[in-house]
Amino acid sequence: MNRYLNNKSLVIAGAVVALLSFSQCTPKQSATVSSAPNTTPQADQSKGLKDYFKDDFLMGVAVSSRSIRTDSALILKEFNSVTAENDMKVGVIHPAEDRWNWKNADDIVAFAERHHIKIRGHNLLWHKQGADWMFTGPDGKPASKELLLKRLHDHIFTVLSRYKGKMYVWDVVNEAIEDGPDTTMMYRESSPWWKAFKSPEFIEAAFRYAHEADPTAKLYYNEFNSERPDKREKIFKLLKKLKADKVPIDGVGFQAHWTVGRPSADQIRKALDEVISLGLEVQFTELDITVHTKPVEVISGKAPVDPGFTPEAEAKQIDKYKMVFDIFRQYKKHIKAVTFWNVSDRGSWLDSRGGGSAGDPIPSPAVFIKAYPLLFDVNNQRKKAYWAVVNK
Ligand code: 9MR
Protein backbone atom coordinates (compact mmCIF):
# COMPACT_ATOMS: atom_id res chain seq x y z
CA MET A 1 0.00 0.00 0.00
CA ASN A 2 2.76 2.35 1.04
CA ARG A 3 4.69 1.50 -2.07
CA TYR A 4 1.62 2.21 -4.18
CA LEU A 5 1.16 5.56 -2.45
CA ASN A 6 4.84 6.44 -2.94
CA ASN A 7 4.72 5.65 -6.58
CA LYS A 8 1.49 7.51 -7.03
CA SER A 9 2.85 10.61 -5.31
CA LEU A 10 5.93 10.40 -7.52
CA VAL A 11 3.77 10.41 -10.61
CA ILE A 12 1.91 13.44 -9.29
CA ALA A 13 5.20 15.14 -8.41
CA GLY A 14 6.47 14.39 -11.92
CA ALA A 15 3.37 15.91 -13.44
CA VAL A 16 3.72 19.04 -11.25
CA VAL A 17 7.38 19.39 -12.26
CA ALA A 18 6.44 19.00 -15.93
CA LEU A 19 3.70 21.62 -15.52
CA LEU A 20 6.07 24.01 -13.73
CA SER A 21 8.75 23.68 -16.40
CA PHE A 22 6.05 24.13 -19.03
CA SER A 23 4.98 27.43 -17.51
CA GLN A 24 8.59 28.68 -17.21
CA CYS A 25 9.50 28.09 -20.87
CA THR A 26 9.60 30.62 -23.63
CA PRO A 27 6.49 30.38 -25.87
CA LYS A 28 8.49 28.58 -28.57
CA GLN A 29 9.72 25.93 -26.18
CA SER A 30 6.48 25.50 -24.26
CA ALA A 31 4.65 24.54 -27.43
CA THR A 32 7.01 21.65 -27.97
CA VAL A 33 7.96 20.27 -24.55
CA SER A 34 6.63 16.76 -23.98
CA SER A 35 3.96 16.78 -21.26
CA ALA A 36 4.58 13.15 -20.26
CA PRO A 37 5.90 12.74 -16.70
CA ASN A 38 9.52 11.73 -16.48
CA THR A 39 9.11 9.08 -13.83
CA THR A 40 8.16 5.50 -14.52
CA PRO A 41 5.87 4.17 -11.77
CA GLN A 42 7.04 0.57 -12.19
CA ALA A 43 10.70 1.47 -11.70
CA ASP A 44 12.57 0.75 -8.50
CA GLN A 45 13.11 4.28 -7.20
CA SER A 46 15.80 3.19 -4.77
CA LYS A 47 18.20 2.38 -7.60
CA GLY A 48 20.45 4.75 -9.53
CA LEU A 49 22.48 4.35 -12.72
CA LYS A 50 25.39 2.95 -10.71
CA ASP A 51 23.14 0.17 -9.41
CA TYR A 52 21.57 -0.68 -12.75
CA PHE A 53 25.07 -1.02 -14.26
CA LYS A 54 26.89 -2.45 -11.25
CA ASP A 55 27.88 -5.64 -13.09
CA ASP A 56 28.92 -3.79 -16.23
CA PHE A 57 30.98 -0.62 -15.65
CA LEU A 58 31.22 2.44 -13.44
CA MET A 59 28.81 5.29 -14.12
CA GLY A 60 30.41 8.71 -13.92
CA VAL A 61 29.66 12.40 -14.20
CA ALA A 62 31.67 15.58 -14.75
CA VAL A 63 31.41 17.86 -11.73
CA SER A 64 32.56 21.22 -10.47
CA SER A 65 33.24 22.37 -6.93
CA ARG A 66 29.79 24.01 -7.16
CA SER A 67 27.80 21.06 -8.54
CA ILE A 68 29.06 18.72 -5.82
CA ARG A 69 27.13 20.98 -3.47
CA THR A 70 24.08 21.98 -5.53
CA ASP A 71 23.52 18.58 -7.18
CA SER A 72 24.95 16.30 -4.53
CA ALA A 73 21.72 14.33 -4.01
CA LEU A 74 21.50 13.39 -7.67
CA ILE A 75 25.23 12.70 -7.98
CA LEU A 76 25.26 10.41 -4.96
CA LYS A 77 22.14 8.54 -6.00
CA GLU A 78 23.16 7.92 -9.60
CA PHE A 79 26.95 7.85 -9.95
CA ASN A 80 30.03 6.07 -8.60
CA SER A 81 32.74 7.94 -10.52
CA VAL A 82 33.42 11.66 -10.98
CA THR A 83 35.62 13.76 -13.25
CA ALA A 84 36.49 17.39 -12.54
CA GLU A 85 35.02 19.24 -15.53
CA ASN A 86 37.66 21.98 -15.36
CA ASP A 87 39.29 22.11 -11.94
CA MET A 88 42.28 19.86 -12.61
CA LYS A 89 43.25 21.25 -15.99
CA VAL A 90 46.77 22.63 -16.19
CA GLY A 91 45.87 26.30 -16.67
CA VAL A 92 43.29 26.16 -13.89
CA ILE A 93 45.26 24.29 -11.24
CA HIS A 94 48.71 25.71 -12.10
CA PRO A 95 48.23 29.23 -13.52
CA ALA A 96 51.81 30.38 -12.86
CA GLU A 97 55.04 28.48 -12.29
CA ASP A 98 54.95 29.08 -8.55
CA ARG A 99 51.17 29.29 -8.08
CA TRP A 100 48.75 26.40 -7.53
CA ASN A 101 44.95 26.53 -7.19
CA TRP A 102 44.29 23.36 -5.22
CA LYS A 103 41.08 24.38 -3.49
CA ASN A 104 38.44 23.26 -6.02
CA ALA A 105 40.27 20.09 -7.01
CA ASP A 106 40.82 19.18 -3.35
CA ASP A 107 37.13 19.75 -2.61
CA ILE A 108 36.12 17.39 -5.40
CA VAL A 109 38.58 14.74 -4.25
CA ALA A 110 37.38 15.08 -0.63
CA PHE A 111 33.73 14.81 -1.72
CA ALA A 112 34.46 11.67 -3.73
CA GLU A 113 36.48 10.06 -0.96
CA ARG A 114 33.86 10.88 1.65
CA HIS A 115 31.23 9.09 -0.43
CA HIS A 116 33.43 6.25 -1.74
CA ILE A 117 33.17 7.47 -5.31
CA LYS A 118 36.02 6.89 -7.75
CA ILE A 119 37.83 9.82 -9.35
CA ARG A 120 39.11 10.19 -12.91
CA GLY A 121 41.91 12.71 -13.29
CA HIS A 122 41.36 15.13 -16.19
CA ASN A 123 43.82 16.14 -17.67
CA LEU A 124 47.61 16.55 -17.80
CA LEU A 125 48.27 17.88 -21.28
CA TRP A 126 45.88 19.68 -23.63
CA HIS A 127 46.18 22.46 -26.18
CA LYS A 128 43.35 24.30 -24.42
CA GLN A 129 43.08 25.53 -20.84
CA GLY A 130 46.83 25.05 -20.61
CA ALA A 131 49.35 27.18 -18.79
CA ASP A 132 50.74 29.84 -21.14
CA TRP A 133 53.68 30.47 -18.82
CA MET A 134 55.09 27.03 -19.64
CA PHE A 135 55.88 28.11 -23.19
CA THR A 136 57.98 31.17 -22.35
CA GLY A 137 61.57 30.97 -21.09
CA PRO A 138 63.11 33.19 -18.40
CA ASP A 139 64.54 35.40 -21.16
CA GLY A 140 61.06 36.04 -22.57
CA LYS A 141 61.80 33.89 -25.61
CA PRO A 142 59.97 30.64 -26.43
CA ALA A 143 60.93 27.96 -23.91
CA SER A 144 63.36 25.30 -25.15
CA LYS A 145 62.20 21.69 -25.48
CA GLU A 146 64.31 20.79 -22.43
CA LEU A 147 62.66 23.46 -20.30
CA LEU A 148 59.20 22.47 -21.52
CA LEU A 149 59.85 18.81 -20.67
CA LYS A 150 61.12 19.80 -17.23
CA ARG A 151 58.01 21.90 -16.61
CA LEU A 152 55.73 19.12 -17.86
CA HIS A 153 57.58 16.65 -15.63
CA ASP A 154 57.34 18.89 -12.57
CA HIS A 155 53.68 19.65 -13.19
CA ILE A 156 52.76 15.99 -13.57
CA PHE A 157 54.82 14.93 -10.54
CA THR A 158 53.33 17.62 -8.30
CA VAL A 159 49.72 16.83 -9.23
CA LEU A 160 50.06 13.05 -9.24
CA SER A 161 52.01 13.02 -5.97
CA ARG A 162 49.34 15.09 -4.24
CA TYR A 163 46.61 12.72 -5.41
CA LYS A 164 48.65 9.53 -5.41
CA GLY A 165 46.49 6.43 -5.09
CA LYS A 166 43.33 8.55 -5.18
CA MET A 167 42.74 8.66 -8.94
CA TYR A 168 41.98 5.37 -10.64
CA VAL A 169 42.59 6.89 -14.07
CA TRP A 170 44.29 9.94 -15.57
CA ASP A 171 43.54 11.41 -18.97
CA VAL A 172 47.19 12.05 -19.67
CA VAL A 173 46.95 13.57 -23.14
CA ASN A 174 43.81 15.13 -24.52
CA GLU A 175 42.97 15.75 -28.21
CA ALA A 176 46.44 15.66 -29.80
CA ILE A 177 45.09 14.43 -33.16
CA GLU A 178 43.93 16.92 -35.80
CA ASP A 179 40.13 16.88 -36.04
CA GLY A 180 39.88 17.67 -39.78
CA PRO A 181 39.12 14.92 -42.31
CA ASP A 182 42.53 15.03 -44.06
CA THR A 183 44.25 11.81 -42.97
CA THR A 184 47.67 13.17 -43.97
CA MET A 185 47.26 15.87 -41.28
CA MET A 186 47.75 13.54 -38.35
CA TYR A 187 48.63 15.73 -35.37
CA ARG A 188 47.02 18.94 -34.12
CA GLU A 189 49.76 21.21 -35.41
CA SER A 190 48.12 24.37 -34.08
CA SER A 191 48.75 23.14 -30.52
CA PRO A 192 51.51 25.02 -28.67
CA TRP A 193 52.94 21.61 -27.73
CA TRP A 194 53.23 20.56 -31.36
CA LYS A 195 54.66 23.93 -32.35
CA ALA A 196 57.41 23.54 -29.78
CA PHE A 197 58.28 19.89 -30.55
CA LYS A 198 57.20 19.26 -34.17
CA SER A 199 56.98 15.60 -33.14
CA PRO A 200 54.88 13.48 -30.78
CA GLU A 201 57.77 13.40 -28.26
CA PHE A 202 55.75 15.42 -25.72
CA ILE A 203 52.92 12.87 -25.85
CA GLU A 204 55.22 9.99 -24.98
CA ALA A 205 56.97 12.03 -22.29
CA ALA A 206 53.69 12.88 -20.56
CA PHE A 207 52.76 9.19 -20.29
CA ARG A 208 56.19 8.21 -18.99
CA TYR A 209 56.20 10.94 -16.33
CA ALA A 210 52.67 10.04 -15.24
CA HIS A 211 53.53 6.37 -14.91
CA GLU A 212 56.61 7.17 -12.85
CA ALA A 213 54.68 9.56 -10.63
CA ASP A 214 51.75 7.21 -9.89
CA PRO A 215 52.21 3.66 -11.14
CA THR A 216 48.81 2.68 -9.70
CA ALA A 217 46.76 4.98 -11.97
CA LYS A 218 45.60 3.77 -15.37
CA LEU A 219 46.78 6.13 -18.07
CA TYR A 220 44.50 7.16 -20.94
CA TYR A 221 44.62 8.98 -24.24
CA ASN A 222 41.36 10.97 -24.54
CA GLU A 223 39.84 12.17 -27.83
CA PHE A 224 36.59 13.30 -29.50
CA ASN A 225 35.05 12.31 -32.85
CA SER A 226 37.02 9.09 -32.46
CA GLU A 227 34.44 7.03 -34.34
CA ARG A 228 34.54 9.10 -37.55
CA PRO A 229 36.43 6.82 -39.97
CA ASP A 230 39.10 9.34 -41.03
CA LYS A 231 39.87 10.38 -37.47
CA ARG A 232 39.65 6.82 -36.22
CA GLU A 233 42.42 5.92 -38.67
CA LYS A 234 44.67 8.68 -37.31
CA ILE A 235 44.02 7.80 -33.68
CA PHE A 236 44.73 4.13 -34.38
CA LYS A 237 48.07 5.10 -35.92
CA LEU A 238 49.03 7.08 -32.83
CA LEU A 239 47.97 4.28 -30.50
CA LYS A 240 49.94 1.72 -32.48
CA LYS A 241 52.99 3.95 -32.31
CA LEU A 242 52.65 4.42 -28.55
CA LYS A 243 52.35 0.67 -28.06
CA ALA A 244 55.31 -0.02 -30.36
CA ASP A 245 57.41 2.51 -28.41
CA LYS A 246 56.43 0.80 -25.14
CA VAL A 247 54.78 3.93 -23.82
CA PRO A 248 52.84 3.13 -20.62
CA ILE A 249 49.32 3.64 -21.94
CA ASP A 250 46.46 1.57 -20.52
CA GLY A 251 43.38 2.86 -22.22
CA VAL A 252 41.51 5.15 -24.54
CA GLY A 253 38.85 7.65 -23.60
CA PHE A 254 36.13 8.06 -26.21
CA GLN A 255 34.74 11.45 -25.27
CA ALA A 256 31.41 10.63 -26.96
CA HIS A 257 30.15 14.14 -27.59
CA TRP A 258 27.48 12.86 -29.94
CA THR A 259 24.27 14.06 -31.59
CA VAL A 260 20.99 12.32 -32.31
CA GLY A 261 22.37 11.96 -35.85
CA ARG A 262 25.87 10.60 -35.29
CA PRO A 263 27.83 8.36 -34.97
CA SER A 264 26.30 5.16 -36.32
CA ALA A 265 26.35 1.89 -34.39
CA ASP A 266 28.73 0.46 -36.94
CA GLN A 267 31.16 3.36 -36.51
CA ILE A 268 31.17 2.95 -32.73
CA ARG A 269 31.77 -0.80 -32.98
CA LYS A 270 34.62 -0.42 -35.48
CA ALA A 271 36.36 2.15 -33.29
CA LEU A 272 35.97 -0.06 -30.23
CA ASP A 273 37.26 -3.13 -32.07
CA GLU A 274 40.40 -1.31 -33.16
CA VAL A 275 41.27 -0.04 -29.72
CA ILE A 276 40.56 -3.40 -28.11
CA SER A 277 42.73 -5.17 -30.71
CA LEU A 278 45.68 -3.28 -29.24
CA GLY A 279 45.00 -4.69 -25.77
CA LEU A 280 43.79 -1.32 -24.46
CA GLU A 281 40.84 -0.76 -22.16
CA VAL A 282 38.12 1.77 -22.89
CA GLN A 283 36.08 4.43 -21.14
CA PHE A 284 33.39 6.69 -22.56
CA THR A 285 34.60 9.79 -20.82
CA GLU A 286 32.36 12.75 -21.74
CA LEU A 287 29.08 11.35 -23.00
CA ASP A 288 26.30 13.68 -24.12
CA ILE A 289 23.89 13.45 -27.05
CA THR A 290 22.58 16.81 -28.22
CA VAL A 291 19.10 16.83 -29.74
CA HIS A 292 20.36 19.07 -32.57
CA THR A 293 22.18 17.50 -35.50
CA LYS A 294 24.10 20.74 -36.09
CA PRO A 295 24.46 24.15 -34.46
CA VAL A 296 21.53 26.48 -35.04
CA GLU A 297 21.87 28.68 -38.13
CA VAL A 298 22.52 32.35 -37.48
CA ILE A 299 21.03 34.67 -40.08
CA SER A 300 22.14 38.25 -39.54
CA GLY A 301 19.46 40.56 -38.28
CA LYS A 302 17.19 37.68 -37.23
CA ALA A 303 16.81 36.13 -33.80
CA PRO A 304 17.93 32.48 -33.98
CA VAL A 305 15.09 30.00 -33.69
CA ASP A 306 15.40 27.54 -30.85
CA PRO A 307 13.51 24.40 -31.84
CA GLY A 308 13.36 23.32 -28.17
CA PHE A 309 13.00 19.79 -26.82
CA THR A 310 10.39 18.64 -29.32
CA PRO A 311 8.68 15.23 -29.06
CA GLU A 312 10.48 14.26 -32.30
CA ALA A 313 13.86 15.23 -30.84
CA GLU A 314 13.03 13.40 -27.63
CA ALA A 315 12.14 10.23 -29.56
CA LYS A 316 15.36 10.38 -31.57
CA GLN A 317 17.41 10.92 -28.44
CA ILE A 318 15.77 7.95 -26.73
CA ASP A 319 16.62 5.74 -29.71
CA LYS A 320 20.20 6.94 -29.81
CA TYR A 321 20.78 6.47 -26.09
CA LYS A 322 19.26 3.00 -26.29
CA MET A 323 21.46 2.11 -29.24
CA VAL A 324 24.69 3.27 -27.60
CA PHE A 325 23.97 1.58 -24.29
CA ASP A 326 23.15 -1.67 -26.10
CA ILE A 327 26.64 -1.47 -27.59
CA PHE A 328 28.19 -0.55 -24.23
CA ARG A 329 26.62 -3.65 -22.70
CA GLN A 330 27.90 -5.84 -25.52
CA TYR A 331 31.44 -4.53 -24.94
CA LYS A 332 31.26 -4.39 -21.15
CA LYS A 333 34.27 -6.64 -20.76
CA HIS A 334 36.45 -3.86 -22.17
CA ILE A 335 34.57 -0.77 -20.97
CA LYS A 336 35.56 0.36 -17.49
CA ALA A 337 33.34 3.43 -17.09
CA VAL A 338 30.79 5.62 -18.84
CA THR A 339 30.91 9.26 -17.75
CA PHE A 340 28.37 11.95 -18.62
CA TRP A 341 29.62 15.47 -19.30
CA ASN A 342 27.57 17.60 -16.87
CA VAL A 343 24.85 16.56 -14.48
CA SER A 344 21.55 17.49 -16.14
CA ASP A 345 19.96 19.46 -18.97
CA ARG A 346 19.80 22.41 -16.57
CA GLY A 347 23.31 23.28 -17.71
CA SER A 348 25.44 21.76 -20.45
CA TRP A 349 28.65 23.14 -21.95
CA LEU A 350 26.90 22.71 -25.33
CA ASP A 351 24.19 25.29 -24.59
CA SER A 352 26.49 28.21 -25.38
CA ARG A 353 27.61 26.66 -28.68
CA GLY A 354 24.34 26.98 -30.54
CA GLY A 355 23.34 23.46 -29.48
CA GLY A 356 25.96 21.76 -31.71
CA SER A 357 28.54 19.24 -30.54
CA ALA A 358 32.34 18.97 -30.22
CA GLY A 359 34.09 19.83 -33.46
CA ASP A 360 31.07 21.69 -34.88
CA PRO A 361 31.60 25.33 -35.82
CA ILE A 362 30.59 27.58 -32.93
CA PRO A 363 28.14 30.27 -34.10
CA SER A 364 29.55 33.76 -33.83
CA PRO A 365 28.36 35.83 -32.11
CA ALA A 366 27.66 33.12 -29.55
CA VAL A 367 24.11 31.79 -29.56
CA PHE A 368 22.48 30.17 -26.55
CA ILE A 369 20.44 27.17 -27.67
CA LYS A 370 19.76 24.43 -25.19
CA ALA A 371 21.11 21.03 -26.26
CA TYR A 372 19.15 18.83 -23.79
CA PRO A 373 21.90 16.22 -24.10
CA LEU A 374 21.72 14.30 -20.81
CA LEU A 375 19.58 11.73 -18.99
CA PHE A 376 18.21 14.24 -16.44
CA ASP A 377 15.98 17.16 -17.39
CA VAL A 378 16.17 20.85 -16.47
CA ASN A 379 14.66 19.99 -13.09
CA ASN A 380 17.18 17.18 -12.45
CA GLN A 381 14.44 14.60 -13.05
CA ARG A 382 15.01 11.38 -14.97
CA LYS A 383 14.05 11.66 -18.64
CA LYS A 384 12.41 8.94 -20.70
CA ALA A 385 15.86 8.32 -22.20
CA TYR A 386 16.98 7.32 -18.69
CA TRP A 387 14.46 4.50 -18.59
CA ALA A 388 15.31 3.46 -22.12
CA VAL A 389 18.92 3.09 -21.00
CA VAL A 390 18.34 1.20 -17.74
CA ASN A 391 15.52 -1.06 -18.96
CA LYS A 392 17.30 -3.65 -21.08
O1 9MR B 1 33.13 21.41 -20.21
C1 9MR B 1 34.31 22.18 -20.29
C2 9MR B 1 33.94 23.66 -20.40
O2 9MR B 1 33.35 24.10 -19.19
C3 9MR B 1 35.18 24.47 -20.73
O3 9MR B 1 34.78 25.81 -20.96
C4 9MR B 1 35.84 23.90 -21.96
C5 9MR B 1 37.07 24.68 -22.34
O4 9MR B 1 37.48 24.34 -23.60
O5 9MR B 1 36.20 22.54 -21.70
C6 9MR B 1 35.09 21.74 -21.50
O6 9MR B 1 35.48 20.39 -21.33
C7 9MR B 1 36.14 19.78 -22.44
C8 9MR B 1 36.96 18.65 -21.90
O7 9MR B 1 37.82 19.10 -20.91
C9 9MR B 1 37.76 17.98 -23.02
N1 9MR B 1 36.89 17.55 -24.07
C10 9MR B 1 36.00 18.55 -24.61
C11 9MR B 1 35.18 19.17 -23.47
C12 9MR B 1 34.23 20.15 -24.04
O8 9MR B 1 34.94 21.20 -24.65
Side-chain angles (χ1 to χ4, degrees):
M1 182 68 173
N2 265 348
R3 186 179 168 81
Y4 170 74
L5 274 180
N6 281 344
N7 288 338
K8 198 173 169 195
S9 25
L10 277 165
V11 175
I12 295 167
V16 170
V17 163
L19 266 174
L20 276 176
S21 57
F22 187 84
S23 64
Q24 284 162 2
C25 284
T26 61
K28 176 74 197 166
Q29 285 172 317
S30 63
T32 55
V33 165
S34 163
S35 57
N38 281 324
T39 44
T40 301
Q42 296 82 4
D44 179 351
Q45 296 290 339
S46 69
K47 280 166 85 173
L49 288 171
K50 62 179 167 36
D51 309 302
Y52 287 107
F53 290 93
K54 71 176 179 351
D55 298 327
D56 304 329
F57 29 73
L58 296 168
M59 292 299 289
V61 64
V63 297
S64 63
S65 57
R66 183 168 179 271
S67 71
I68 54 170
R69 283 181 278 113
T70 54
D71 295 321
S72 68
L74 188 153
I75 295 169
L76 297 177
K77 173 144 197 175
E78 304 286 349
F79 300 103
N80 50 10
S81 171
V82 289
T83 307
E85 182 181 5
N86 288 302
D87 289 316
M88 293 182 192
K89 291 173 182 171
V90 183
V92 178
I93 207 168
H94 195 181
E97 186 145 31
D98 55 357
R99 195 147 59 81
W100 291 85
N101 281 333
W102 296 113
K103 173 84 176 78
N104 290 354
D106 283 357
D107 284 354
I108 292 170
V109 172
F111 169 83
E113 288 200 304
R114 201 160 57 242
H115 297 290
H116 311 289
I117 292 176
K118 296 214 172 209
I119 318 162
R120 306 188 76 254
H122 177 82
N123 54 52
L124 299 173
L125 190 156
W126 191 24
H127 64 284
K128 281 191 192 162
Q129 287 178 298
D132 291 345
W133 61 265
M134 278 195 185
F135 297 93
T136 308
D139 52 3
K141 294 195 180 137
S144 65
K145 282 190 204 176
E146 292 66 37
L147 181 57
L148 263 171
L149 286 176
K150 182 183 179 314
R151 286 173 168 171
L152 181 64
H153 172 275
D154 292 352
H155 173 81
I156 290 178
F157 263 74
T158 309
V159 177
L160 269 65
S161 305
R162 187 176 185 95
Y163 299 129
K164 199 163 186 163
K166 297 182 187 232
M167 310 286 176
Y168 70 112
V169 158
W170 270 102
D171 288 330
V172 178
V173 177
N174 201 31
E175 304 173 12
I177 293 292
E178 179 57 45
D179 188 47
D182 180 353
T183 46
T184 62
M185 281 283 293
M186 167 117 172
Y187 293 100
R188 186 184 285 277
E189 295 186 9
S190 56
S191 155
W193 287 100
W194 183 271
K195 283 185 181 151
F197 283 85
K198 308 261 186 316
S199 85
E201 186 185 346
F202 62 96
I203 300 177
E204 305 210 0
F207 277 97
R208 293 193 201 284
Y209 299 154
H211 183 60
E212 248 184 87
D214 185 357
T216 65
K218 297 272 186 190
L219 305 183
Y220 273 53
Y221 175 71
N222 195 43
E223 186 60 88
F224 70 102
N225 280 348
S226 321
E227 313 76 24
R228 217 183 56 217
D230 49 87
K231 196 161 180 194
R232 188 186 81 216
E233 188 182 319
K234 295 192 272 189
I235 296 170
F236 190 48
K237 252 191 218 162
L238 168 65
L239 297 174
K240 273 199 296 198
K241 178 178 163 43
L242 296 179
K243 290 293 282 182
D245 293 348
K246 306 239 174 321
V247 172
I249 175 171
D250 299 292
V252 172
F254 288 76
Q255 291 186 8
H257 291 298
W258 293 335
T259 80
V260 289
R262 65 169 167 82
S264 68
D266 188 49
Q267 287 175 338
I268 299 175
R269 285 207 186 88
K270 281 213 170 84
L272 280 168
D273 290 341
E274 274 189 4
V275 166
I276 291 164
S277 75
L278 295 174
L280 294 165
E281 57 178 59
V282 171
Q283 293 202 10
F284 287 89
T285 53
E286 305 183 16
L287 176 61
D288 49 20
I289 301 181
T290 170
V291 295
H292 310 291
T293 48
K294 56 181 175 28
V296 77
E297 215 178 324
V298 185
I299 302 162
S300 80
K302 285 195 177 173
V305 178
D306 183 348
F309 191 53
T310 64
E312 295 75 35
E314 180 182 44
K316 282 191 193 156
Q317 189 183 49
I318 291 171
D319 285 351
K320 197 77 177 180
Y321 261 119
K322 198 170 161 7
M323 180 272 270
V324 304
F325 271 84
D326 282 347
I327 298 179
F328 294 169
R329 283 195 182 91
Q330 284 160 13
Y331 283 81
K332 66 180 186 187
K333 187 168 153 230
H334 304 280
I335 298 174
K336 302 301 167 194
V338 174
T339 296
F340 289 85
W341 208 242
N342 299 127
V343 176
S344 75
D345 288 351
R346 182 174 290 169
S348 155
W349 71 285
L350 297 166
D351 296 344
S352 57
R353 302 167 60 99
S357 194
D360 284 340
I362 306 170
S364 171
V367 182
F368 191 88
I369 299 282
K370 284 194 75 63
Y372 304 102
L374 299 162
L375 293 186
F376 301 92
D377 69 11
V378 294
N379 296 307
N380 278 9
Q381 299 300 307
R382 294 158 169 179
K383 289 160 65 175
K384 286 190 215 160
Y386 179 103
W387 299 113
V389 155
V390 300
N391 292 328
K392 280 185 244 185

